[in-house]
Amino acid sequence: MTEVTRVPLRPIAGGSLVKLWLGVLAAVLLAGGIAWAAMPKGVTVDTVTAGEGEGPQQGDVVFVRYSGMLEDGTVFDQSQPAQWPIPGLLPEGTPMLLEPDALIVGFYEGLLQTQKGGTYEIFIPAEKAYGAEPPEGAPIPPNADLTFNVEIVDFMPEAEARERFQAMEQMLMQAQGGEGGEGAGGAATPPAEGAPQ
């Protein structure tokens, strides 16, 4: 029969077991933190003032007042007051066609979560904004997360918005004696692209 050599085990010191478990806990927390940081962030919409009724749908023209900011609070873009040549025919605000190819993805996704009359803060992570390639000459650095403060003035189906723009064009032409002046041509159709494109 073969004899097994015995190796005596030393007892674990009282503080060593605690240190071992603290080390394991620290490793688990570190791994969890790294995994959380690596997860892609999504668009978040925080309601500042609640709106009413249904929200806009894809294909609607949304009239908004907005300001876009970088993470440090620098405003890189903001809407200007609407100066429609015939007041009351169109809502105040910048018209934006709510289509995924007309707006940056995050802005499109954020607007779908709003309601008429509400004000919102929309956070858009870089991968749903301009990513590594912002528009040339824009004050937006590569891979920048963006925040937009947005007021939803109104929205309507694209067909209704086009009718109103055409009615405005006809009124302008009539006011100019039936001649198509310089100011009339630009009012025929709503912009297909909003500022955050």
Side-chain angles (χ1 to χ4, degrees), residues 24-48:
V24 169
L25 180 62
V28 168
L29 290 175
L30 179 64
I34 290 171
W36 180 82
M39 285 177 35
K41 299 180 229 171
V43 173
T44 59
V45 178
D46 292 326
T47 302
V48 177

mmCIF file with all atom_site columns, all heavy atoms in Angstrom, residues 24-48:
data_model
loop_
_atom_site.group_PDB
_atom_site.id
_atom_site.type_symbol
_atom_site.label_atom_id
_atom_site.label_alt_id
_atom_site.label_comp_id
_atom_site.label_asym_id
_atom_site.label_entity_id
_atom_site.label_seq_id
_atom_site.pdbx_PDB_ins_code
_atom_site.Cartn_x
_atom_site.Cartn_y
_atom_site.Cartn_z
_atom_site.occupancy
_atom_site.B_iso_or_equiv
_atom_site.pdbx_formal_charge
_atom_site.auth_seq_id
_atom_site.auth_comp_id
_atom_site.auth_asym_id
_atom_site.auth_atom_id
_atom_site.pdbx_PDB_model_num
ATOM 1   N N   . VAL A 1 24 ? -13.264 39.804 -3.362  1.00 0.00 ? 24 VAL A N   1
ATOM 2   C CA  . VAL A 1 24 ? -14.241 39.229 -4.294  1.00 0.00 ? 24 VAL A CA  1
ATOM 3   C C   . VAL A 1 24 ? -15.351 40.245 -4.569  1.00 0.00 ? 24 VAL A C   1
ATOM 4   O O   . VAL A 1 24 ? -15.766 40.463 -5.715  1.00 0.00 ? 24 VAL A O   1
ATOM 5   C CB  . VAL A 1 24 ? -14.812 37.905 -3.734  1.00 0.00 ? 24 VAL A CB  1
ATOM 6   C CG1 . VAL A 1 24 ? -16.007 37.444 -4.560  1.00 0.00 ? 24 VAL A CG1 1
ATOM 7   C CG2 . VAL A 1 24 ? -13.735 36.838 -3.691  1.00 0.00 ? 24 VAL A CG2 1
ATOM 8   N N   . LEU A 1 25 ? -15.863 40.896 -3.518  1.00 0.00 ? 25 LEU A N   1
ATOM 9   C CA  . LEU A 1 25 ? -16.923 41.889 -3.675  1.00 0.00 ? 25 LEU A CA  1
ATOM 10  C C   . LEU A 1 25 ? -16.455 43.058 -4.544  1.00 0.00 ? 25 LEU A C   1
ATOM 11  O O   . LEU A 1 25 ? -17.171 43.505 -5.436  1.00 0.00 ? 25 LEU A O   1
ATOM 12  C CB  . LEU A 1 25 ? -17.378 42.395 -2.296  1.00 0.00 ? 25 LEU A CB  1
ATOM 13  C CG  . LEU A 1 25 ? -18.484 43.452 -2.308  1.00 0.00 ? 25 LEU A CG  1
ATOM 14  C CD1 . LEU A 1 25 ? -19.760 42.902 -2.941  1.00 0.00 ? 25 LEU A CD1 1
ATOM 15  C CD2 . LEU A 1 25 ? -18.762 43.929 -0.902  1.00 0.00 ? 25 LEU A CD2 1
ATOM 16  N N   . ALA A 1 26 ? -15.233 43.538 -4.308  1.00 0.00 ? 26 ALA A N   1
ATOM 17  C CA  . ALA A 1 26 ? -14.693 44.644 -5.105  1.00 0.00 ? 26 ALA A CA  1
ATOM 18  C C   . ALA A 1 26 ? -14.572 44.243 -6.573  1.00 0.00 ? 26 ALA A C   1
ATOM 19  O O   . ALA A 1 26 ? -14.901 45.035 -7.470  1.00 0.00 ? 26 ALA A O   1
ATOM 20  C CB  . ALA A 1 26 ? -13.336 45.077 -4.563  1.00 0.00 ? 26 ALA A CB  1
ATOM 21  N N   . ALA A 1 27 ? -14.143 43.020 -6.855  1.00 0.00 ? 27 ALA A N   1
ATOM 22  C CA  . ALA A 1 27 ? -14.017 42.558 -8.239  1.00 0.00 ? 27 ALA A CA  1
ATOM 23  C C   . ALA A 1 27 ? -15.379 42.490 -8.916  1.00 0.00 ? 27 ALA A C   1
ATOM 24  O O   . ALA A 1 27 ? -15.534 42.883 -10.080 1.00 0.00 ? 27 ALA A O   1
ATOM 25  C CB  . ALA A 1 27 ? -13.339 41.179 -8.264  1.00 0.00 ? 27 ALA A CB  1
ATOM 26  N N   . VAL A 1 28 ? -16.401 42.019 -8.205  1.00 0.00 ? 28 VAL A N   1
ATOM 27  C CA  . VAL A 1 28 ? -17.746 41.935 -8.765  1.00 0.00 ? 28 VAL A CA  1
ATOM 28  C C   . VAL A 1 28 ? -18.291 43.340 -9.057  1.00 0.00 ? 28 VAL A C   1
ATOM 29  O O   . VAL A 1 28 ? -18.862 43.595 -10.120 1.00 0.00 ? 28 VAL A O   1
ATOM 30  C CB  . VAL A 1 28 ? -18.687 41.159 -7.816  1.00 0.00 ? 28 VAL A CB  1
ATOM 31  C CG1 . VAL A 1 28 ? -20.143 41.310 -8.231  1.00 0.00 ? 28 VAL A CG1 1
ATOM 32  C CG2 . VAL A 1 28 ? -18.298 39.695 -7.760  1.00 0.00 ? 28 VAL A CG2 1
ATOM 33  N N   . LEU A 1 29 ? -18.112 44.269 -8.125  1.00 0.00 ? 29 LEU A N   1
ATOM 34  C CA  . LEU A 1 29 ? -18.587 45.633 -8.330  1.00 0.00 ? 29 LEU A CA  1
ATOM 35  C C   . LEU A 1 29 ? -17.868 46.307 -9.487  1.00 0.00 ? 29 LEU A C   1
ATOM 36  O O   . LEU A 1 29 ? -18.494 47.016 -10.287 1.00 0.00 ? 29 LEU A O   1
ATOM 37  C CB  . LEU A 1 29 ? -18.420 46.454 -7.046  1.00 0.00 ? 29 LEU A CB  1
ATOM 38  C CG  . LEU A 1 29 ? -19.360 46.083 -5.896  1.00 0.00 ? 29 LEU A CG  1
ATOM 39  C CD1 . LEU A 1 29 ? -19.017 46.888 -4.651  1.00 0.00 ? 29 LEU A CD1 1
ATOM 40  C CD2 . LEU A 1 29 ? -20.804 46.308 -6.282  1.00 0.00 ? 29 LEU A CD2 1
ATOM 41  N N   . LEU A 1 30 ? -16.573 46.101 -9.604  1.00 0.00 ? 30 LEU A N   1
ATOM 42  C CA  . LEU A 1 30 ? -15.794 46.687 -10.698 1.00 0.00 ? 30 LEU A CA  1
ATOM 43  C C   . LEU A 1 30 ? -16.284 46.141 -12.031 1.00 0.00 ? 30 LEU A C   1
ATOM 44  O O   . LEU A 1 30 ? -16.490 46.893 -12.981 1.00 0.00 ? 30 LEU A O   1
ATOM 45  C CB  . LEU A 1 30 ? -14.304 46.399 -10.503 1.00 0.00 ? 30 LEU A CB  1
ATOM 46  C CG  . LEU A 1 30 ? -13.384 46.931 -11.598 1.00 0.00 ? 30 LEU A CG  1
ATOM 47  C CD1 . LEU A 1 30 ? -13.447 48.452 -11.635 1.00 0.00 ? 30 LEU A CD1 1
ATOM 48  C CD2 . LEU A 1 30 ? -11.961 46.475 -11.357 1.00 0.00 ? 30 LEU A CD2 1
ATOM 49  N N   . ALA A 1 31 ? -16.487 44.837 -12.121 1.00 0.00 ? 31 ALA A N   1
ATOM 50  C CA  . ALA A 1 31 ? -16.968 44.223 -13.360 1.00 0.00 ? 31 ALA A CA  1
ATOM 51  C C   . ALA A 1 31 ? -18.356 44.755 -13.717 1.00 0.00 ? 31 ALA A C   1
ATOM 52  O O   . ALA A 1 31 ? -18.646 45.054 -14.876 1.00 0.00 ? 31 ALA A O   1
ATOM 53  C CB  . ALA A 1 31 ? -16.999 42.710 -13.232 1.00 0.00 ? 31 ALA A CB  1
ATOM 54  N N   . GLY A 1 32 ? -19.227 44.901 -12.720 1.00 0.00 ? 32 GLY A N   1
ATOM 55  C CA  . GLY A 1 32 ? -20.565 45.436 -12.959 1.00 0.00 ? 32 GLY A CA  1
ATOM 56  C C   . GLY A 1 32 ? -20.518 46.885 -13.430 1.00 0.00 ? 32 GLY A C   1
ATOM 57  O O   . GLY A 1 32 ? -21.259 47.282 -14.322 1.00 0.00 ? 32 GLY A O   1
ATOM 58  N N   . GLY A 1 33 ? -19.632 47.680 -12.844 1.00 0.00 ? 33 GLY A N   1
ATOM 59  C CA  . GLY A 1 33 ? -19.485 49.080 -13.246 1.00 0.00 ? 33 GLY A CA  1
ATOM 60  C C   . GLY A 1 33 ? -18.989 49.208 -14.672 1.00 0.00 ? 33 GLY A C   1
ATOM 61  O O   . GLY A 1 33 ? -19.465 50.047 -15.440 1.00 0.00 ? 33 GLY A O   1
ATOM 62  N N   . ILE A 1 34 ? -18.041 48.368 -15.042 1.00 0.00 ? 34 ILE A N   1
ATOM 63  C CA  . ILE A 1 34 ? -17.514 48.397 -16.406 1.00 0.00 ? 34 ILE A CA  1
ATOM 64  C C   . ILE A 1 34 ? -18.605 47.984 -17.390 1.00 0.00 ? 34 ILE A C   1
ATOM 65  O O   . ILE A 1 34 ? -18.780 48.596 -18.438 1.00 0.00 ? 34 ILE A O   1
ATOM 66  C CB  . ILE A 1 34 ? -16.272 47.486 -16.527 1.00 0.00 ? 34 ILE A CB  1
ATOM 67  C CG1 . ILE A 1 34 ? -15.108 48.113 -15.751 1.00 0.00 ? 34 ILE A CG1 1
ATOM 68  C CG2 . ILE A 1 34 ? -15.894 47.256 -17.986 1.00 0.00 ? 34 ILE A CG2 1
ATOM 69  C CD1 . ILE A 1 34 ? -13.897 47.205 -15.605 1.00 0.00 ? 34 ILE A CD1 1
ATOM 70  N N   . ALA A 1 35 ? -19.374 46.962 -17.049 1.00 0.00 ? 35 ALA A N   1
ATOM 71  C CA  . ALA A 1 35 ? -20.461 46.510 -17.924 1.00 0.00 ? 35 ALA A CA  1
ATOM 72  C C   . ALA A 1 35 ? -21.520 47.601 -18.068 1.00 0.00 ? 35 ALA A C   1
ATOM 73  O O   . ALA A 1 35 ? -22.032 47.842 -19.162 1.00 0.00 ? 35 ALA A O   1
ATOM 74  C CB  . ALA A 1 35 ? -21.082 45.232 -17.377 1.00 0.00 ? 35 ALA A CB  1
ATOM 75  N N   . TRP A 1 36 ? -21.857 48.283 -16.977 1.00 0.00 ? 36 TRP A N   1
ATOM 76  C CA  . TRP A 1 36 ? -22.860 49.348 -17.028 1.00 0.00 ? 36 TRP A CA  1
ATOM 77  C C   . TRP A 1 36 ? -22.378 50.494 -17.911 1.00 0.00 ? 36 TRP A C   1
ATOM 78  O O   . TRP A 1 36 ? -23.121 51.030 -18.711 1.00 0.00 ? 36 TRP A O   1
ATOM 79  C CB  . TRP A 1 36 ? -23.164 49.850 -15.623 1.00 0.00 ? 36 TRP A CB  1
ATOM 80  C CG  . TRP A 1 36 ? -24.185 50.950 -15.621 1.00 0.00 ? 36 TRP A CG  1
ATOM 81  C CD1 . TRP A 1 36 ? -25.533 50.828 -15.676 1.00 0.00 ? 36 TRP A CD1 1
ATOM 82  C CD2 . TRP A 1 36 ? -23.919 52.351 -15.578 1.00 0.00 ? 36 TRP A CD2 1
ATOM 83  N NE1 . TRP A 1 36 ? -26.129 52.054 -15.672 1.00 0.00 ? 36 TRP A NE1 1
ATOM 84  C CE2 . TRP A 1 36 ? -25.143 53.016 -15.612 1.00 0.00 ? 36 TRP A CE2 1
ATOM 85  C CE3 . TRP A 1 36 ? -22.761 53.108 -15.525 1.00 0.00 ? 36 TRP A CE3 1
ATOM 86  C CZ2 . TRP A 1 36 ? -25.264 54.395 -15.595 1.00 0.00 ? 36 TRP A CZ2 1
ATOM 87  C CZ3 . TRP A 1 36 ? -22.869 54.492 -15.499 1.00 0.00 ? 36 TRP A CZ3 1
ATOM 88  C CH2 . TRP A 1 36 ? -24.114 55.112 -15.534 1.00 0.00 ? 36 TRP A CH2 1
ATOM 89  N N   . ALA A 1 37 ? -21.099 50.876 -17.767 1.00 0.00 ? 37 ALA A N   1
ATOM 90  C CA  . ALA A 1 37 ? -20.547 51.975 -18.560 1.00 0.00 ? 37 ALA A CA  1
ATOM 91  C C   . ALA A 1 37 ? -20.504 51.624 -20.038 1.00 0.00 ? 37 ALA A C   1
ATOM 92  O O   . ALA A 1 37 ? -20.623 52.501 -20.895 1.00 0.00 ? 37 ALA A O   1
ATOM 93  C CB  . ALA A 1 37 ? -19.154 52.335 -18.060 1.00 0.00 ? 37 ALA A CB  1
ATOM 94  N N   . ALA A 1 38 ? -20.340 50.352 -20.362 1.00 0.00 ? 38 ALA A N   1
ATOM 95  C CA  . ALA A 1 38 ? -20.240 49.930 -21.755 1.00 0.00 ? 38 ALA A CA  1
ATOM 96  C C   . ALA A 1 38 ? -21.604 49.783 -22.422 1.00 0.00 ? 38 ALA A C   1
ATOM 97  O O   . ALA A 1 38 ? -21.692 49.716 -23.636 1.00 0.00 ? 38 ALA A O   1
ATOM 98  C CB  . ALA A 1 38 ? -19.486 48.604 -21.840 1.00 0.00 ? 38 ALA A CB  1
ATOM 99  N N   . MET A 1 39 ? -22.677 49.732 -21.629 1.00 0.00 ? 39 MET A N   1
ATOM 100 C CA  . MET A 1 39 ? -24.014 49.573 -22.204 1.00 0.00 ? 39 MET A CA  1
ATOM 101 C C   . MET A 1 39 ? -24.382 50.812 -23.009 1.00 0.00 ? 39 MET A C   1
ATOM 102 O O   . MET A 1 39 ? -24.103 51.936 -22.594 1.00 0.00 ? 39 MET A O   1
ATOM 103 C CB  . MET A 1 39 ? -25.063 49.386 -21.094 1.00 0.00 ? 39 MET A CB  1
ATOM 104 C CG  . MET A 1 39 ? -25.043 48.022 -20.474 1.00 0.00 ? 39 MET A CG  1
ATOM 105 S SD  . MET A 1 39 ? -26.223 47.818 -19.109 1.00 0.00 ? 39 MET A SD  1
ATOM 106 C CE  . MET A 1 39 ? -27.605 48.775 -19.558 1.00 0.00 ? 39 MET A CE  1
ATOM 107 N N   . PRO A 1 40 ? -25.001 50.627 -24.171 1.00 0.00 ? 40 PRO A N   1
ATOM 108 C CA  . PRO A 1 40 ? -25.418 51.795 -24.940 1.00 0.00 ? 40 PRO A CA  1
ATOM 109 C C   . PRO A 1 40 ? -26.525 52.542 -24.194 1.00 0.00 ? 40 PRO A C   1
ATOM 110 O O   . PRO A 1 40 ? -27.416 51.937 -23.622 1.00 0.00 ? 40 PRO A O   1
ATOM 111 C CB  . PRO A 1 40 ? -25.938 51.204 -26.254 1.00 0.00 ? 40 PRO A CB  1
ATOM 112 C CG  . PRO A 1 40 ? -26.188 49.771 -25.986 1.00 0.00 ? 40 PRO A CG  1
ATOM 113 C CD  . PRO A 1 40 ? -25.316 49.382 -24.819 1.00 0.00 ? 40 PRO A CD  1
ATOM 114 N N   . LYS A 1 41 ? -26.430 53.873 -24.223 1.00 0.00 ? 41 LYS A N   1
ATOM 115 C CA  . LYS A 1 41 ? -27.439 54.701 -23.566 1.00 0.00 ? 41 LYS A CA  1
ATOM 116 C C   . LYS A 1 41 ? -28.577 54.941 -24.541 1.00 0.00 ? 41 LYS A C   1
ATOM 117 O O   . LYS A 1 41 ? -28.378 54.989 -25.744 1.00 0.00 ? 41 LYS A O   1
ATOM 118 C CB  . LYS A 1 41 ? -26.830 56.044 -23.158 1.00 0.00 ? 41 LYS A CB  1
ATOM 119 C CG  . LYS A 1 41 ? -25.682 55.941 -22.190 1.00 0.00 ? 41 LYS A CG  1
ATOM 120 C CD  . LYS A 1 41 ? -25.169 57.325 -21.879 1.00 0.00 ? 41 LYS A CD  1
ATOM 121 C CE  . LYS A 1 41 ? -23.672 57.388 -22.032 1.00 0.00 ? 41 LYS A CE  1
ATOM 122 N NZ  . LYS A 1 41 ? -23.123 58.708 -21.945 1.00 0.00 ? 41 LYS A NZ  1
ATOM 123 N N   . GLY A 1 42 ? -29.746 55.127 -24.010 1.00 0.00 ? 42 GLY A N   1
ATOM 124 C CA  . GLY A 1 42 ? -30.892 55.389 -24.864 1.00 0.00 ? 42 GLY A CA  1
ATOM 125 C C   . GLY A 1 42 ? -31.362 56.821 -24.732 1.00 0.00 ? 42 GLY A C   1
ATOM 126 O O   . GLY A 1 42 ? -30.889 57.591 -23.896 1.00 0.00 ? 42 GLY A O   1
ATOM 127 N N   . VAL A 1 43 ? -32.293 57.176 -25.583 1.00 0.00 ? 43 VAL A N   1
ATOM 128 C CA  . VAL A 1 43 ? -32.912 58.497 -25.543 1.00 0.00 ? 43 VAL A CA  1
ATOM 129 C C   . VAL A 1 43 ? -33.821 58.546 -24.322 1.00 0.00 ? 43 VAL A C   1
ATOM 130 O O   . VAL A 1 43 ? -34.580 57.616 -24.069 1.00 0.00 ? 43 VAL A O   1
ATOM 131 C CB  . VAL A 1 43 ? -33.729 58.733 -26.820 1.00 0.00 ? 43 VAL A CB  1
ATOM 132 C CG1 . VAL A 1 43 ? -34.521 60.028 -26.740 1.00 0.00 ? 43 VAL A CG1 1
ATOM 133 C CG2 . VAL A 1 43 ? -32.826 58.730 -28.042 1.00 0.00 ? 43 VAL A CG2 1
ATOM 134 N N   . THR A 1 44 ? -33.720 59.622 -23.547 1.00 0.00 ? 44 THR A N   1
ATOM 135 C CA  . THR A 1 44 ? -34.628 59.804 -22.417 1.00 0.00 ? 44 THR A CA  1
ATOM 136 C C   . THR A 1 44 ? -35.388 61.112 -22.600 1.00 0.00 ? 44 THR A C   1
ATOM 137 O O   . THR A 1 44 ? -34.833 62.105 -23.067 1.00 0.00 ? 44 THR A O   1
ATOM 138 C CB  . THR A 1 44 ? -33.896 59.822 -21.056 1.00 0.00 ? 44 THR A CB  1
ATOM 139 O OG1 . THR A 1 44 ? -32.939 60.878 -21.052 1.00 0.00 ? 44 THR A OG1 1
ATOM 140 C CG2 . THR A 1 44 ? -33.191 58.507 -20.792 1.00 0.00 ? 44 THR A CG2 1
ATOM 141 N N   . VAL A 1 45 ? -36.654 61.072 -22.239 1.00 0.00 ? 45 VAL A N   1
ATOM 142 C CA  . VAL A 1 45 ? -37.506 62.254 -22.346 1.00 0.00 ? 45 VAL A CA  1
ATOM 143 C C   . VAL A 1 45 ? -38.053 62.546 -20.954 1.00 0.00 ? 45 VAL A C   1
ATOM 144 O O   . VAL A 1 45 ? -38.811 61.754 -20.403 1.00 0.00 ? 45 VAL A O   1
ATOM 145 C CB  . VAL A 1 45 ? -38.661 62.019 -23.345 1.00 0.00 ? 45 VAL A CB  1
ATOM 146 C CG1 . VAL A 1 45 ? -39.562 63.246 -23.411 1.00 0.00 ? 45 VAL A CG1 1
ATOM 147 C CG2 . VAL A 1 45 ? -38.120 61.670 -24.720 1.00 0.00 ? 45 VAL A CG2 1
ATOM 148 N N   . ASP A 1 46 ? -37.655 63.679 -20.394 1.00 0.00 ? 46 ASP A N   1
ATOM 149 C CA  . ASP A 1 46 ? -38.151 64.100 -19.086 1.00 0.00 ? 46 ASP A CA  1
ATOM 150 C C   . ASP A 1 46 ? -39.197 65.191 -19.302 1.00 0.00 ? 46 ASP A C   1
ATOM 151 O O   . ASP A 1 46 ? -38.944 66.168 -20.006 1.00 0.00 ? 46 ASP A O   1
ATOM 152 C CB  . ASP A 1 46 ? -37.017 64.631 -18.209 1.00 0.00 ? 46 ASP A CB  1
ATOM 153 C CG  . ASP A 1 46 ? -36.039 63.534 -17.814 1.00 0.00 ? 46 ASP A CG  1
ATOM 154 O OD1 . ASP A 1 46 ? -36.476 62.381 -17.628 1.00 0.00 ? 46 ASP A OD1 1
ATOM 155 O OD2 . ASP A 1 46 ? -34.833 63.828 -17.710 1.00 0.00 ? 46 ASP A OD2 1
ATOM 156 N N   . THR A 1 47 ? -40.360 65.019 -18.697 1.00 0.00 ? 47 THR A N   1
ATOM 157 C CA  . THR A 1 47 ? -41.437 65.994 -18.839 1.00 0.00 ? 47 THR A CA  1
ATOM 158 C C   . THR A 1 47 ? -41.205 67.147 -17.870 1.00 0.00 ? 47 THR A C   1
ATOM 159 O O   . THR A 1 47 ? -41.096 66.946 -16.669 1.00 0.00 ? 47 THR A O   1
ATOM 160 C CB  . THR A 1 47 ? -42.797 65.336 -18.545 1.00 0.00 ? 47 THR A CB  1
ATOM 161 O OG1 . THR A 1 47 ? -42.969 64.241 -19.445 1.00 0.00 ? 47 THR A OG1 1
ATOM 162 C CG2 . THR A 1 47 ? -43.933 66.323 -18.693 1.00 0.00 ? 47 THR A CG2 1
ATOM 163 N N   . VAL A 1 48 ? -41.133 68.351 -18.417 1.00 0.00 ? 48 VAL A N   1
ATOM 164 C CA  . VAL A 1 48 ? -41.020 69.560 -17.596 1.00 0.00 ? 48 VAL A CA  1
ATOM 165 C C   . VAL A 1 48 ? -42.434 70.065 -17.302 1.00 0.00 ? 48 VAL A C   1
ATOM 166 O O   . VAL A 1 48 ? -42.778 70.343 -16.168 1.00 0.00 ? 48 VAL A O   1
ATOM 167 C CB  . VAL A 1 48 ? -40.170 70.637 -18.312 1.00 0.00 ? 48 VAL A CB  1
ATOM 168 C CG1 . VAL A 1 48 ? -40.110 71.914 -17.497 1.00 0.00 ? 48 VAL A CG1 1
ATOM 169 C CG2 . VAL A 1 48 ? -38.761 70.103 -18.604 1.00 0.00 ? 48 VAL A CG2 1
#
